[in-house]
Amino acid sequence: MGITALAFDFGTKSIGCAVGQSITGTARALAAFKAQDGIPNWQQIEKCLTEWKPDIIVVGLPLNMDGSEQELSVRARKFANRLHGRFGIRVELQDERLTTAQARAEIFTRGGYRALDKSKVDGISACLILESWFAQHSGIE
């Protein structure tokens, strides 16, 4: 039996989401959550958690390219802590330094500039966060 994981790509206006399985090590994008200054509609988050019943939640940690923290890093950590506090599910942070650029490149190769809609970028970023987490934790049950 593998584990089910949800990943969130935290942002102040939009929070990308993806779901994946450790058995396959792959993820798929879900609808992004709108946020107001980094605060999501917690009922929508709860509905998503109830639907997918994840064993773990992975939150992307935005760092500067040199690995230092930025203001958004602090806010992403706070979001991760709130997820754990509200829902009691294990939460881990995953370095996401290259995921947004990767997501944009991936969407562009699939559909050109027209496909670069923000909610798709956030969802694919969440997929990449989760897939990189699975790659680092392969073999977990």
Side-chain angles (χ1 to χ4, degrees):
M1 281 286 292
I3 64 163
T4 298
L6 271 181
F8 291 101
D9 176 32
F10 177 80
T12 56
K13 294 186 177 101
S14 177
I15 298 171
C17 186
V19 63
Q21 289 285 336
S22 63
I23 293 172
T24 59
T26 58
R28 72 181 176 93
L30 300 175
F33 295 95
K34 285 195 179 353
Q36 295 215 321
D37 196 28
I39 300 166
N41 177 327
W42 287 107
Q43 289 170 319
Q44 290 177 336
I45 301 270
E46 183 172 17
K47 191 174 166 202
C48 180
L49 295 175
T50 302
E51 182 179 345
W52 293 104
K53 298 178 179 42
D55 300 293
I56 188 166
I57 296 170
V58 179
V59 175
L61 181 63
L63 298 168
N64 293 316
M65 289 315 277
D66 66 1
S68 62
E69 298 225 351
Q70 51 179 289
E71 185 195 339
L72 206 55
S73 314
V74 174
R75 298 186 70 176
R77 282 183 191 281
K78 199 177 280 186
F79 173 71
N81 290 338
R82 285 196 181 128
L83 280 169
H84 178 70
R86 275 178 185 257
F87 306 109
I89 299 168
R90 192 169 115 221
V91 177
E92 288 197 12
L93 294 159
Q94 176 68 26
D95 179 354
E96 64 159 62
R97 273 178 274 189
L98 299 173
T99 54
T100 301
Q102 275 180 289
R104 286 183 194 283
E106 192 161 315
I107 290 169
F108 186 75
T109 57
R110 290 181 190 178
Y113 284 111
R114 288 187 316 277
L116 284 176
D117 133 343
K118 179 75 174 111
S119 63
K120 286 192 180 125
V121 172
D122 292 339
I124 291 179
S125 293
C127 282
L128 294 168
I129 289 165
L130 190 49
E131 288 174 359
S132 64
W133 186 86
F134 281 140
Q136 287 180 348
H137 296 83
S138 58
I140 63 163
E141 286 300 317

